[in-house]
Amino acid sequence: MSFEHVGRNKARQSSSHPHQIILNPLNQTEKELLVPDLGTDKVWRLTKWNDGKWSIHDHIDFEAGGSPRHIAARGNTLCTLLELTSKLAVHTFPPLPVPPTRLTSLFTLSALPIPDTMLAVEILLPEPNESFPETFIYTSNRNDLHSEGDTIAIFFLAAREGQPELVNEVCTGLIHVRGMVFGGDEDKYLVVGGVEGGGVKVFERIDGGKGLQEIGKLGEDVVGRPTGFL
């Protein structure tokens, strides 16, 4: 199966570049795949036929040169991280064949303009629980020239709303953040890795999830160039 399209950014979008493949988290039948394609400015929607084969059913278009990298979903809301423009794009996301509706697009950094060398990388949307009853979206930025390293942006997403609000930016002290994962009881801890420096750090969620506090670290001499976690 080929995805034919070329994006506007010739350096990063010379061809299709799928960056994630996941089952649609809002489709419990497990018959739809979502494929963010950094190279085509699209998220492809693949559906499974009765014979078990997959085919392209539809796609979601994004701003030219945005480069959708990763997605997350909650309720009927789809959140897409655009790497090259450092934005969080939000759509309503009803089941097929109803098309999604664009709601908003927000920068993942408050300091504008954002240098072209800075990129948005990871997006996490942990399930609410007893300790963290409200919904927050966590996105990472990399290649920040700030002395305190790359940042993690925290957006608040009100119940049944598709308009996230940037409520915090946490400096990680890491360089070129790439991997990021929640863990522990009720997703209390966030593990983050810096590929180009800083090693791996563990942050504890505080203030109901609105903040992060560093509680542990493994230096780059112990964990070199981390890119992901299981």
Side-chain angles (χ1 to χ4, degrees):
M1 182 184 303
S2 62
F3 303 120
E4 297 180 1
H5 188 75
V6 177
R8 184 179 67 180
N9 188 315
K10 301 306 179 185
R12 295 294 307 280
Q13 297 181 303
S14 60
S15 63
S16 173
H17 185 173
H19 225 283
Q20 183 185 32
I21 301 174
I22 65 170
L23 288 166
N24 181 353
L26 306 182
N27 184 343
Q28 300 302 313
T29 64
E30 297 190 351
K31 290 187 176 181
E32 182 182 357
L33 286 173
L34 303 178
V35 184
D37 191 337
L38 190 151
T40 67
D41 293 323
K42 300 178 186 297
V43 169
W44 301 99
R45 305 184 70 173
L46 279 59
T47 52
K48 183 190 288 186
W49 293 83
N50 291 333
D51 61 4
K53 295 182 179 180
W54 294 87
S55 64
I56 298 173
H57 184 101
D58 203 350
H59 66 268
I60 307 168
D61 286 314
F62 293 85
E63 63 183 72
S67 290
R69 179 184 175 96
H70 288 154
I71 59 177
R74 176 66 41 75
N76 66 342
T77 301
L78 178 71
C79 300
T80 305
L81 197 63
L82 305 182
E83 176 177 324
L84 297 185
T85 53
S86 296
K87 288 183 178 180
L88 173 65
V90 184
H91 290 77
T92 62
F93 200 58
L96 288 168
V98 181
T101 300
R102 180 184 179 278
L103 296 176
T104 190
S105 181
L106 305 168
F107 286 107
T108 59
L109 292 146
S110 60
L112 302 176
I114 299 173
D116 291 340
T117 55
M118 291 188 63
L119 307 169
V121 187
E122 306 293 340
I123 178 170
L124 298 177
L125 182 52
E127 289 283 347
N129 54 54
E130 186 174 349
S131 296
F132 305 100
E134 296 183 311
T135 299
F136 290 95
I137 305 166
Y138 300 79
T139 68
S140 65
N141 302 288
R142 72 180 180 201
N143 299 340
D144 198 320
L145 298 178
H146 195 282
S147 61
E148 296 184 18
D150 292 339
T151 61
I152 295 172
I154 303 176
F155 295 85
F156 172 62
L157 184 63
R160 295 179 297 279
E161 295 290 337
Q163 302 287 339
E165 176 190 1
L166 179 61
V167 294
N168 201 358
E169 294 172 272
V170 179
C171 293
T172 63
L174 300 169
I175 302 173
H176 201 85
V177 165
R178 192 173 180 95
M180 193 166 76
V181 66
F182 277 105
D185 292 340
E186 298 186 312
D187 288 330
K188 185 177 182 179
Y189 304 107
L190 179 64
V191 182
V192 188
V195 175
E196 300 296 340
V200 174
K201 291 188 177 183
V202 179
F203 295 86
E204 181 179 351
R205 286 207 281 174
I206 60 174
D207 195 16
K210 185 178 178 180
L212 296 170
Q213 177 176 289
E214 182 182 337
I215 60 169
K217 175 182 178 180
L218 291 173
E220 53 196 284
D221 57 324
V222 179
V223 182
R225 303 185 65 81
T227 60
F229 307 98
L230 293 176

